[in-house]
C-alpha cells in the first residue's frame, strides 16, 4: 500500500508501511546508514502526519517483515489478543496518542491493553510523541516482576550492580560488589559480563555470586551474562544459576546472528524454572536489546531501527522476563550519533517496552567515540527516572573497565532516588536498613559507618 501527503506545496509518497514508519522516525544516524530515513525535516513531518491518520488495525494486516519468513512476525501476529485490542481498535495512531495522554489511560487500562498491542503500533505512536508524552505515558504503565524481590512497583527504582572485571578476577569483582552494596545498588540483579564464555569460567562466577548472596542473606538475584546455551549447560552441570541471560533483537535473522531462536530461549527458560530458585516469583529471564543491532547484523529488512527495537520486546514478552534493558548508546555513533539521539532513543525504548507490558530498564550509556558525555547521561537518567524506569545500571565510577564504555554509577542511582523520592525494591530496602547500610527512616540516607560484616569483607579483600 502506498501513502502520500502534501506539505508546503510538495507531495510526498511512501511506498509501504515500513517506509512510512522509517520516514516518520526522528532523525538518527543508523537510519541514514541504512538508507531508510527521511531526506529532510519536511518529508519527516509529512510522514508523521500520514502516520497519525493511519488506523491501528493496519498493523495487523501489513507486516513490516514478511510473516512467511520471520518467526518474530509470526509470534507477533499469532499471539495478538484481539479482545484486549478491542477498546482501541477503532483509533488511528494519532487518536491512540490522544487516548494514551487522557485520564482514561490509567495503570489498569494500560495493563489490560498491553497484550492487544503489537510492537509496530507502539513504535508508530512513539514517533509522533514529544519527549514529555513519552515520559507521561510510560509513567502510567506498571510492569511488576518477581524472583527474590519485587521489581517495578510505583515510586521504586532498582539497579543492576555490574562488577565487571577485564580478567574476571574474583577479588576485583568482590570489591566492586561490596562497593555497590554499600550504596544500595544491586536489587535488580548482581550481573557480570564475563571476560570469557567458557563453561568453567561462567560456573566459577555463578558460584561466587551465589556464595555472596547466601552469606549475607541478600534478597536479590545474580546473573552471568553469557550465551543462553552456556547457561543451559551450566545448569545441566549443577551450577546454582538464578537468571538466564540473552541478547535479543527484532527479526529472526538478527536473532540467528546471536545464535538463538525462540525455541532455544524457551529451553533456557524451562531449564531455569526447573531449578526453582526464586523465593517470591518465577521470572527467570534477563534480556538486553539495543537500537541498531539488526542493522549491524544486516538483518533489518529495510525497517527503521526503532521499530525493530520494539519488535525485540515482543520476543522478550513471550518469556515473562524479570528484567529487560535497552543498552541504548552501546553500539556506537553509527547508530545513535550524539547525546540528543541517545536521549530520544532511550525514552522511546522505555515507552514502547512499558506499553507492551515489558519490565523495562535502561543502560544509560555511550561509547567514548560518540558525540556525548556524562551530562547527556544525567539528562536521560533524570527523564527516565521521572518516567518510571524499572532499573538502571550501577558501575564503579560510571566506567566499565571490561567493556570500555561509560554508563551510570552507584552515586547516580542515589541521586535519582533522592531527587525523585524513589526507593529500592521493598525486600532489598528492608535488608539495607536491617544491615545498617541505609538509615532506618523514610528518606534515603547512607549510614555513617560501614556495617560490621562488610568491614570484615573489605579487610579480607585487602
Amino acid at each position: 500500500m502506498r501513502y502520500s501527503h502534501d506539505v508546503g506545496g510538495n507531495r510526498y509518497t511512501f511506498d509501504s508501511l515500513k517506509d512510512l514508519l522509517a520516514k516518520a522516525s526522528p532523525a538518527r544516524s543508523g537510519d541514514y546508514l541504512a538508507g531508510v530515513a527521511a531526506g529532510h525535516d519536511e518529508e519527516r513531518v509529512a510522514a508523521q502526519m500520514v502516520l497519525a491518520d493511519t488506523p491501528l488495525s493496519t498493523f495487523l494486516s501489513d507486516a513490516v517483515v514478511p510473516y512467511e519468513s520471520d518467526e518474530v512476525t509470526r509470534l507477533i501476529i499469532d499471539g495478538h489478543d484481539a479482545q484486549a485490542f478491542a477498546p482501541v481498535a477503532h483509533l488511528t495512531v494519532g487518536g491512540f496518542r490522544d487516548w494514551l495522554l487522557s485520564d482514561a489511560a490509567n495503570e489498569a487500562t494500560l495493563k489490560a491493553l498491553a497484550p492487544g498491542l503489537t510492537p509496530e503500533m507502539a513504535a508508530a505512536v512513539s514517533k509522533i510523541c514529544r519527549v514529555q508524552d513519552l515520559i507521561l505515558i510510560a509513567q502510567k504503565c506498571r510492569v511488576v516482576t518477581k524472583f527474590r524481590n519485587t521489581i517495578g512497583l510505583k515510586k521504586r527504582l532498582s539497579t543492576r550492580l555490574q562488577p565487571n572485571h577485564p580478567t574476571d578476577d574474583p577479588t576485583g569483582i568482590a570489591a566492586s560488589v561490596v562497593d555497590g552494596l554499600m550504596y544500595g545498588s544491586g536489587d535488580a540483579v548482581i550481573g557480570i559480563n564475563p571476560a570469557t564464555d567458557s563453561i568453567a569460567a561462567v560456573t566459577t562466577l555463578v558460584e561466587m555470586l551465589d556464595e555472596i548472596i547466601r552469606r549475607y542473606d541478600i534478597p536479590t538475584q545474580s546473573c552471568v551474562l553469557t550465551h543462553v546455551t552456556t547457561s543451559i549447560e551450566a545448569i545441566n552441570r549443577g551450577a546454582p544459576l538464578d537468571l538466564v541471560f540473552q541478547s535479543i533483537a527484532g527479526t529472526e535473522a538478527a536473532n540467528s546472528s546471536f545464535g538463538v531462536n525462540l525455541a532455544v530461549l524457551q529451553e533456557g527458560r524451562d531449564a531455569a524454572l526447573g531449578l526453582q530458585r526464586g523465593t517470591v516469583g518465577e521470572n527467570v529471564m534477563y534480556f538486553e536489546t539495543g537500537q541498531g543491532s539488526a542493522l549491524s547484523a544486516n538483518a533489518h529488512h529495510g525497517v527503521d531501527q526503532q521499530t525493530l527495537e520494539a519488535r525485540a520486546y515482543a520476543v522478550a514478552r513471550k518469556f515473562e522476563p524479570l528484567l529487560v534493558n535497552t543498552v541504548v548508546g552501546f553500539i556506537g555513533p553509527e547508530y545513535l550519533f550524539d547525546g540528543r539521539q541517545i536521549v530520544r532513543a532511550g525514552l522511546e525504548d522505555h515507552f514502547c517496552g512499558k506499553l507492551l507490558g515489558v519490565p523495562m530498564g535502561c543502560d544509560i550509556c555511550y561509547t567514548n567515540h560518540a558525540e556525548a558525555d556524562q551530562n547527556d547521561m544525567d539528562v536521560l537518567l533524570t527523564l527516565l527516572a521521572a518516567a518510571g524506569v524499572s532499573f538502571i545500571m550501577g558501575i564503579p565510577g560510571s566506567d566499565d573497565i571490561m567493556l570500555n564504555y561509560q554508563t551510570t554509577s552507584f552515586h547516580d542511582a542515589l541521586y535519582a532516588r533522592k531527587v525523585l523520592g524513589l526507593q529500592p525494591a521493598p525486600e532489598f530496602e528492608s535488608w539495607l536498613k536491617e544491615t545498617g547500610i541505609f538509615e532506618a527512616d523514610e528518606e534515603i540516607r547512607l549510614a555513617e559507618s560501614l556495617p560490621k560484616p562488610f568491614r570484615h569483607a573489605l579487610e579480607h579483600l585487602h
Side-chain angles (χ1 to χ4, degrees), residues 1 3 15-22 54 58-59 62 64:
M1 180 176 178
Y3 304 81
D15 293 333
S16 62
L17 184 60
K18 72 177 180 181
D19 183 41
L20 177 64
L21 286 165
T54 301
T58 303
F59 296 94
D62 192 351
V64 298

Side-chain angles (χ1 to χ4, degrees), residues 16 22 44 54 99 134 143 153 162 185 203 276 290 302 361 366 371 383 386 418 420 428 432 460:
S16 62
R44 183 171 296 108
T54 301
W99 181 83
L134 297 174
V143 182
L153 295 169
Q162 187 169 312
S185 186
T203 301
Q276 298 184 318
Y366 64 101
E371 292 295 319
L383 296 177
K418 285 188 175 184
L420 294 171
F428 194 78
L432 290 170
H460 176 72

Side-chain angles (χ1 to χ4, degrees), residues 342-393:
I342 292 171
V343 167
R344 173 77 194 191
L347 293 171
E348 289 170 349
D349 294 350
H350 176 254
F351 167 93
C352 290
K354 284 291 181 65
L355 207 56
L356 293 167
V358 171
M360 205 68 202
C362 184
D363 190 341
I364 302 162
C365 63
Y366 64 101
T367 57
N368 288 314
H369 63 309
E371 292 295 319
D373 60 25
Q374 213 65 38
N375 290 314
D376 297 308
M377 301 306 102
D378 286 349
V379 170
L380 181 53
L381 167 62
T382 305
L383 296 177
L384 281 171
V389 70
S390 293
F391 69 103
I392 62 170
M393 304 298 112

Side-chain angles (χ1 to χ4, degrees), residues 255-455:
N255 284 323
S256 294
S257 76
F258 292 145
V260 298
N261 55 35
L262 299 180
V264 170
L265 295 177
Q266 185 63 55
E267 183 182 353
R269 180 171 184 262
D270 290 343
L273 285 172
L275 296 179
Q276 298 184 318
R277 291 178 57 80
T279 56
V280 298
E282 295 185 332
N283 299 115
V284 295
M285 302 299 285
Y286 175 19
F287 295 121
E288 287 189 345
T289 66
Q291 289 196 27
S293 58
L295 175 58
S296 68
N298 195 28
H300 59 101
H301 298 274
V303 182
D304 70 275
Q305 64 185 37
Q306 191 255 331
T307 298
L308 291 180
E309 172 70 6
R311 283 169 55 97
Y313 307 150
V315 176
R317 180 169 61 177
K318 173 177 173 58
F319 300 101
E320 302 179 14
L322 181 75
L323 308 166
V324 178
N325 76 280
T326 168
V327 193
V328 67
F330 183 74
I331 303 182
E334 299 84 0
Y335 306 95
L336 295 169
F337 180 72
D338 56 16
R340 179 174 180 173
Q341 292 188 11
I342 292 171
V343 167
R344 173 77 194 191
L347 293 171
E348 289 170 349
D349 294 350
H350 176 254
F351 167 93
C352 290
K354 284 291 181 65
L355 207 56
L356 293 167
V358 171
M360 205 68 202
C362 184
D363 190 341
I364 302 162
C365 63
Y366 64 101
T367 57
N368 288 314
H369 63 309
E371 292 295 319
D373 60 25
Q374 213 65 38
N375 290 314
D376 297 308
M377 301 306 102
D378 286 349
V379 170
L380 181 53
L381 167 62
T382 305
L383 296 177
L384 281 171
V389 70
S390 293
F391 69 103
I392 62 170
M393 304 298 112
I395 295 179
S398 305
D399 181 17
D400 192 303
I401 59 173
M402 197 278 281
L403 294 174
N404 294 310
Y405 76 115
Q406 311 303 313
T407 179
T408 46
S409 71
F410 308 138
H411 300 77
D412 294 335
L414 277 180
Y415 147 77
R417 285 169 171 169
K418 285 188 175 184
V419 167
L420 294 171
L422 306 173
Q423 300 285 352
E427 300 88 346
F428 194 78
E429 179 191 0
S430 297
W431 178 82
L432 290 170
K433 291 176 179 179
E434 289 167 3
T435 56
I437 295 171
F438 279 8
E439 295 286 0
D441 55 27
E442 292 185 4
E443 183 181 351
I444 287 183
R445 289 191 299 150
L446 294 176
E448 293 184 2
S449 61
L450 197 64
K452 187 175 180 179
F454 294 99
R455 287 204 304 271

Side-chain angles (χ1 to χ4, degrees), residues 240-259:
L241 188 143
D242 290 341
L243 306 182
V244 169
F245 168 81
Q246 184 56 48
S247 295
I248 56 173
T251 70
E252 179 178 345
N255 284 323
S256 294
S257 76
F258 292 145

